[in-house]
Amino acid sequence: MKKRSAFIATIILTISISLTFVIIPSNKMKDRNKYEQFLSQTYQDLDKQFGLSQEEALPDSPDLAALQNYFMTMDPEQKRVPSERLMEAYHQTKELKDQPWFKSAKTAIEWTETGSNMGGRTRAIMYDPNLASGNKVWAGGVTGGLWYNNDITDDNSNWIPVNDYWPSLTVSSIAYDPNDPMTFYVGTGEYQTARHIYRESSGVGIGIWKSTDGGATWELLPTTEDWKYISDIKIRNENGTTAVYAGVVSGFYHGINHQSDPTDGLYRTIDGGETWEQVLPNISGEDVPFAPADLEVGPNGRIFVGTMKNLEGNGGATILYSDSGTSGSWTVYDDYESIIQLDPNYPVPGRVIMACSQSDANRVYALVGAGWIDNMGGNRAEGRYILRSNDGGDTWAPTSLPEGSTSWASLSWHAFIGAVNPSNPDDVFVGGLDVWKTGNGGNNWNHLSDWSLMYYGGGDDYVHADQHVQVYKEGSSTEMLFGTDGGVFYTGNANSSNPVFEEKNRNYSTLQFYTCDIYPVPGQNYLVGGLQDNGTLLYMGEPLDINDMIDGADGAYCFFDDDEPEIMITSYYYNQYTLFLNWNWYDSFGDYGTGVFINPADYDSKNNILYANGVTFSGGNQNKLLRVSGIPNNPYDQLVNINTGVNVYFSHVKVSPFAPDGTSTLFIGSQDGRLFKVTNAQASPSSQEIGSGEFPVAYLSSMDIAGSEDTLVVTFSNYGVPSVWQTYNGGLVWNNISGNLPDMPIRWAIYHPQNSQQIMLATEVGIWTTNIAGAEEVVWEPDINMPNVRVDMLQMRDLDNTVVAATHGRGLIYGVWGYNTSTSVSENELSIAGIYPNPCNGNFNFTINTNNYVNLIISDMNGRIVYEERLEAKSGNITHSCNLSQETKGVYLISIISEKKKYSEKLIIR
């Protein structure tokens, strides 16, 4: 837990305290410079290897987003992401939510999910054995948790989430007990990408969940909590005894090796998970067992294990089998490990995926990956071999490859799968980027799916890119399900030479959003958001589906124009923007090759100017912003220098709504914790550093403005740092208001538009809020209705207090954020009971409770003061009336300021 600190709300501090803030930065600046050098050198090294700033990113490129996320969240001191602290954050969150007083006392936001008929990455699928129709299906999203669908064949049947509050929503495998079909086991942790590669895992696991009532309730098996990644689970009926086998591996994730305890291996239990025995032999010449990548059981009960290399790089590309499944009973086939090691182009043994025929115990297939280690130490692997055994695994021979090359599975460390028709051993599906099939045991292959059809509305051949699981319905050779990076797909004629595929993602809301915005017209809840692997989606009241994709690739920042709602802007990697007018494509602009993957940006609605970070990962265009003027009719982009002296890319860009008419004022954050105010940004920018020397040396992830440029909040997203800071005087003095927040990434913050004492945070464990009015110590509270899911961004529609959240695993959600109309009052404090009526015709009232004088200031949205009054000190509630009927219709800002507090609210005159 972060150190709790008292919140100092005073505006006027003594000179001695101010001097302290001035003296400290010299030491902190050395740390910042050192940290910048570390970041800059690391990015440059990566750029030399991968071309981070220039490469043509694929439509599915979470590798580059993961690179950003790594540096956003790593502990700056330890130079790693301590993901184990996220479990601590979860436990703190759960402990608070479980308190009876918390449940009864909170008036939580009533969130509305947009719903989605598109899915996210899915690695686990199981047909439920307990429904007579056989059509109930379970599926696991790697960031969205466990779901079920009561009838997968029904296009109108929704997916239903099992539990929003598991400490890890990273589901990797699922199986049921054949002796007791009501007992299920679910494995966690995405091992496939938990290696030193340019794309990383979605999460470390927490062991195995078990249900004994058909999935109605679940418990985490305590004996498995130290298993970091469950690669697979298979269950055998061994003469009436249920034997559960769990593949357990370790992985490199967020800068650290996560070693499963006590070792990697295949663990067997015959008492439902109370005790486990590791049964695999040790790797030849090593004192540790093989790391199993995949488990399969043949029709005669023979267990096959396909391996992967362990953290030390040993034991990959090996096949093992056993008839008893016990220690000392395994046959090891490692010929292809040796063959691969002698290959000059693919010398590194990769993982092995097994596929058993259920109609012929002798027919088994093995998909074998192989690759190389690049000069940065990262892994590369492709689908090098498809092997076939006709004697139950004793001997193996290569078949042909789809396309005749390894490119069919160019990401075999990530997307690699196979399945055999249960009634025909020659009929085999395999998957890499797309789906392939052979009808003659691998002599030749047919290309069945085309992921690129996602950009054309789908079709019979559309299956989303990256294949992870292929499952036949039990007892059927025609019905089959596919788990992909885009959710679940189904075919009812799998035995055909040209199967028809159907997307089955109704309400499977596992989409991973990075960004969002909300339409500025009250009551019209139109949303837009950029997301991983599915472009940018536009929500207009109906559940999201493939037809709502209005921009491609991995979606990035997006904006509605607050003054001209017909203008909408979307983007994707490296500062490429698309302009829409009245929902229709109008123009494209930007400067490809500038900025970073999901590039920080903001839009000035008053002046129709877009501002974005222009600095590349490796430091190109140093200190420059991309400025696009003349929107919508004549977009003109240029790189402008803002002279901050920062040597890495800018981590946050915020347009101030309070800039003088005709000008732009920006607030710019840096990766090493610096904050700049940039004035006259539309012409000749002038920068002034306004951050505190006490700010952590960390990634400044967001900032927001409440009422005026005096009241600001900033957040930091790294572990191990005080993550939320606030100023009431434009940056002269900053206060750490992290309070009781767990040590976890804070990605975004917003003020309530009607109460600057209320702040909402987007965190790694849902949404947290506080009301700091009159508080001696800041107390943050998790939203009780929010899933335990990472939230990347929050955006607010001020006119009706509607907030939208971009979750990374549960899609877009929105709701009305209520404001606290009364707060406790202590000496020299201020309490407001709101502005009413609002909207009004110019006449309005407000009630205050104060023990001191207060200043009332009313200004228009250009900052022009239209009314000012000093109210006398009185005890108790005072109702005050104002008349602005002489002013023109529009939006005004009401500010009520005491010695220690400031309250702001927008007023609409109609």
Side-chain angles (χ1 to χ4, degrees):
M1 182 184 292
K2 296 178 180 174
K3 183 179 180 181
R4 299 172 66 95
S5 59
F7 170 63
I8 305 172
T10 186
I11 295 176
I12 303 174
L13 296 180
T14 63
I15 294 177
S16 61
I17 295 178
S18 298
L19 286 175
T20 302
F21 278 83
V22 172
I23 293 170
I24 289 175
S26 61
N27 295 326
K28 220 38 174 304
M29 188 56 69
K30 293 179 182 178
D31 294 336
R32 297 191 200 284
N33 291 337
K34 184 178 179 181
Y35 190 60
E36 275 194 7
Q37 292 171 9
F38 159 74
L39 291 172
S40 180
Q41 187 61 55
T42 304
Y43 285 134
Q44 289 175 24
D45 290 343
L46 290 169
D47 194 38
K48 289 176 184 177
Q49 179 60 33
F50 304 128
L52 298 178
S53 305
Q54 312 299 331
E55 75 171 36
E56 291 189 13
L58 295 172
D60 173 16
S61 296
D63 47 308
L64 294 174
L67 175 73
Q68 283 184 258
N69 189 63
Y70 174 81
F71 290 106
M72 284 179 67
T73 58
M74 75 175 186
D75 186 308
E77 291 292 327
Q78 298 183 6
K79 302 297 189 293
R80 71 178 184 92
V81 177
S83 54
E84 67 276 6
R85 298 183 202 168
L86 189 58
M87 180 64 74
E88 298 175 17
Y90 162 76
H91 286 308
Q92 289 177 239
T93 305
K94 186 176 186 298
E95 183 179 351
L96 186 55
K97 286 185 176 181
D98 286 346
Q99 296 296 322
W101 65 264
F102 184 85
K103 292 180 179 180
S104 61
K106 299 299 110 181
T107 304
I109 295 174
E110 295 296 328
W111 295 103
T112 298
E113 296 184 7
T114 61
S116 173
N117 298 328
M118 302 171 68
R121 186 153 71 251
T122 300
R123 293 194 180 274
I125 295 177
M126 182 186 78
Y127 277 96
D128 192 310
N130 299 300
L131 210 63
S133 69
N135 291 332
K136 184 176 181 179
V137 172
W138 297 80
V142 294
T143 57
L146 184 65
W147 298 67
Y148 64 90
N149 188 315
N150 284 316
D151 187 353
I152 197 65
T153 65
D154 183 355
D155 289 340
N156 295 315
S157 181
N158 289 320
W159 287 94
I160 300 170
V162 170
N163 193 315
D164 290 339
Y165 304 108
W166 283 4
S168 172
L169 296 179
T170 304
V171 174
S172 58
S173 52
I174 183 171
Y176 69 87
D177 181 351
N179 292 321
D180 179 9
M182 294 291 284
T183 297
F184 300 164
Y185 295 84
V186 166
T188 62
E190 189 187 26
Y191 87 89
Q192 291 87 344
T193 50
R195 286 294 180 267
H196 186 190
I197 48 180
Y198 69 94
R199 175 175 180 170
E200 66 177 24
S201 169
S202 286
V204 178
I206 55 169
I208 294 176
W209 291 89
K210 180 181 179 180
S211 173
T212 58
D213 52 14
T217 61
W218 296 83
E219 64 171 345
L220 184 64
L221 292 177
T223 53
T224 68
E225 289 187 14
D226 291 327
W227 293 350
K228 303 304 182 183
Y229 299 95
I230 311 300
S231 58
D232 202 359
I233 299 175
K234 289 293 184 289
I235 305 176
R236 291 201 314 172
N237 175 9
E238 297 181 355
N239 298 318
T241 298
T242 295
V244 181
Y245 294 85
V248 177
V249 299
S250 304
F252 180 89
Y253 173 59
H254 275 172
I256 186 173
N257 288 334
H258 293 273
Q259 178 65 55
S260 287
D261 186 26
T263 65
D264 298 347
L266 181 63
Y267 287 81
R268 176 178 183 264
T269 181
I270 56 174
D271 57 14
E274 294 294 325
T275 59
W276 297 83
E277 178 190 7
Q278 200 291 116
V279 296
L280 287 186
N282 286 344
I283 300 169
S284 177
E286 303 290 330
D287 60 357
V288 293
F290 285 93
D294 189 41
L295 315 177
E296 291 296 328
V297 179
N300 59 354
R302 177 168 287 184
I303 305 174
F304 291 88
V305 175
T307 73
M308 60 189 290
K309 64 178 184 176
N310 62 17
L311 286 175
E312 286 69 43
N314 302 318
T318 299
I319 300 168
L320 301 93
Y321 72 80
S322 170
D323 292 321
S324 68
T326 55
S327 180
S329 67
W330 295 86
T331 298
V332 179
Y333 182 85
D334 57 5
D335 290 18
Y336 274 83
E337 180 186 25
S338 301
I339 291 171
I340 290 168
Q341 289 171 337
L342 296 174
D343 190 315
N345 298 314
Y346 299 88
V348 178
R351 65 177 177 136
V352 178
I353 299 298
M354 307 300 302
C356 294
S357 167
Q358 296 301 312
S359 60
D360 181 352
N362 289 316
R363 183 67 64 84
V364 190
Y365 296 85
L367 284 58
V368 183
W372 62 98
I373 301 294
D374 57 50
N375 60 18
M376 289 296 295
N379 289 269
R380 293 291 183 272
E382 299 181 350
R384 183 66 171 152
Y385 301 98
I386 298 178
L387 308 179
R388 186 178 81 188
S389 175
N390 296 323
D391 53 16
D394 289 336
T395 61
W396 297 84
T399 70
S400 65
L401 292 178
E403 292 186 331
S405 74
T406 61
S407 62
W408 73 278
S410 58
L411 306 177
S412 66
W413 47 267
H414 163 63
F416 207 36
I417 195 62
V420 184
N421 185 327
S423 61
N424 183 351
D426 288 327
D427 199 17
V428 184
F429 282 85
V430 296
L433 180 67
D434 281 330
V435 177
W436 296 76
K437 181 184 177 183
T438 179
N440 52 25
N443 292 328
N444 52 61
W445 298 86
N446 295 321
H447 193 175
L448 299 183
S449 72
D450 182 356
W451 68 266
S452 67
L453 291 173
M454 68 186 293
Y455 296 119
Y456 305 99
D460 292 349
D461 297 335
Y462 170 58
V463 178
H464 198 283
D466 294 350
Q467 311 304 306
H468 304 303
V469 58
Q470 297 174 340
V471 178
Y472 277 94
K473 181 180 179 180
E474 190 167 347
S476 173
S477 60
T478 59
E479 292 188 70
M480 194 173 179
L481 293 172
F482 303 80
T484 76
D485 260 21
V488 180
F489 290 75
Y490 165 87
T491 183
N493 59 337
N495 57 345
S496 167
S497 60
N498 189 26
V500 173
F501 298 103
E502 302 174 39
E503 188 172 4
K504 294 293 186 178
N505 290 318
R506 184 178 177 87
N507 198 45
Y508 190 46
S509 295
T510 55
L511 295 175
Q512 299 169 310
F513 278 87
Y514 301 124
T515 63
C516 61
D517 202 9
I518 184 168
Y519 193 64
V521 179
Q524 297 186 18
N525 293 324
Y526 305 148
L527 313 175
V528 63
L531 66 163
Q532 184 263 316
D533 205 14
N534 283 292
T536 299
L537 299 180
L538 176 63
Y539 171 76
M540 301 191 75
E542 297 295 326
L544 294 167
D545 62 31
I546 194 171
N547 295 309
D548 295 316
M549 184 185 295
I550 58 174
D551 211 349
D554 281 49
Y557 280 64
C558 47
F559 310 99
F560 286 109
D561 190 304
D562 291 335
D563 300 326
E564 301 171 85
E566 66 273 15
I567 297 175
M568 179 177 64
I569 298 171
T570 64
S571 71
Y572 51 104
Y573 39 68
Y574 302 128
N575 272 327
Q576 298 179 92
Y577 296 90
T578 304
L579 173 65
F580 295 83
L581 284 183
N582 295 311
W583 314 114
N584 297 311
W585 181 93
Y586 188 75
D587 201 356
S588 297
F589 57 83
D591 193 349
Y592 178 59
T594 67
V596 293
F597 191 69
I598 304 300
N599 194 57
D602 203 6
Y603 178 68
D604 184 345
S605 295
K606 291 196 298 182
N607 297 301
N608 299 99
I609 304 175
L610 177 80
Y611 296 94
N613 165 63
V615 188
T616 65
F617 279 121
S618 57
N621 309 318
Q622 201 167 103
N623 278 294
K624 291 183 179 179
L625 293 180
L626 177 68
R627 182 177 67 200
V628 184
S629 308
I631 297 171
N633 295 318
N634 298 294
Y636 170 67
D637 58 83
Q638 61 184 136
L639 288 170
V640 294
N641 199 322
I642 59 172
N643 299 309
T644 61
V646 173
N647 296 316
V648 288
Y649 77 81
F650 295 115
S651 57
H652 187 70
V653 179
K654 175 72 175 180
V655 172
S656 171
F658 303 108
D661 198 23
T663 70
S664 291
T665 297
L666 311 178
F667 292 89
I668 305 294
S670 76
Q671 288 181 274
D672 63 340
R674 300 173 71 183
L675 178 66
F676 299 87
K677 183 176 181 178
V678 181
T679 55
N680 206 36
Q682 82 292 341
S684 300
S686 176
S687 300
Q688 175 190 5
E689 187 163 2
I690 65 167
S692 170
E694 289 296 284
F695 279 179
V697 181
Y699 193 104
L700 196 154
S701 55
S702 79
M703 67 87 60
D704 198 23
I705 309 167
S708 75
E709 291 175 1
D710 289 336
T711 304
L712 313 173
V713 63
V714 297
T715 63
F716 297 88
S717 56
N718 297 81
Y719 283 98
V721 303
S723 52
V724 189
W725 295 71
Q726 184 174 242
T727 181
Y728 280 128
N729 52 17
L732 293 177
V733 177
W734 289 87
N735 300 291
N736 174 13
I737 60 168
S738 303
N740 64 316
L741 284 171
D743 185 1
M744 61 182 174
I746 308 299
R747 298 178 182 270
W748 209 267
I750 57 173
Y751 282 107
H752 195 288
Q754 293 179 280
N755 187 350
S756 60
Q757 307 301 315
Q758 290 179 248
I759 304 173
M760 178 181 291
L761 302 178
T763 83
E764 213 76 350
V765 189
I767 284 174
W768 290 60
T769 57
T770 190
N771 187 338
I772 57 180
E776 294 184 2
E777 189 168 350
V778 179
V779 177
W780 296 89
E781 297 172 347
D783 188 289
I784 199 168
N785 289 332
M786 186 74 182
N788 289 337
V789 65
R790 165 181 150 187
V791 182
D792 279 28
M793 182 180 283
L794 300 165
Q795 294 291 355
M796 191 82 192
R797 184 166 60 204
D798 293 356
L799 296 181
D800 62 0
N801 301 335
T802 301
V803 61
V804 58
T807 79
H808 201 75
R810 284 297 181 88
L812 295 177
I813 62 173
Y814 64 94
V816 175
W817 183 16
Y819 70 99
N820 196 332
T821 58
S822 62
T823 56
S824 61
V825 179
S826 58
E827 185 178 0
N828 293 326
E829 294 293 350
L830 170 69
S831 174
I832 309 296
I835 307 294
Y836 60 93
N838 190 7
C840 68
N841 61 4
N843 294 294
F844 65 93
N845 309 284
F846 60 88
T847 300
I848 62 173
N849 188 343
T850 182
N851 298 317
N852 208 336
Y853 289 94
V854 296
N855 292 318
L856 169 65
I857 300 175
I858 305 175
S859 58
D860 63 19
M861 298 311 291
N862 291 322
R864 180 178 64 90
I865 295 176
V866 300
Y867 187 86
E868 191 170 5
E869 183 180 357
R870 183 173 177 84
L871 304 179
E872 294 183 3
K874 294 181 180 179
S875 61
N877 291 328
I878 305 170
T879 300
H880 191 76
S881 299
C882 287
N883 185 346
L884 293 183
S885 57
Q886 75 280 5
E887 298 295 334
T888 58
K889 297 179 180 179
V891 180
Y892 292 82
L893 182 69
I894 312 297
S895 296
I896 303 169
I897 306 169
S898 71
E899 182 181 349
K900 296 178 66 178
K901 293 292 180 183
K902 178 178 179 179
Y903 174 91
S904 297
E905 182 175 341
K906 288 183 179 178
L907 173 74
I908 302 173
I909 299 178
R910 291 179 175 173

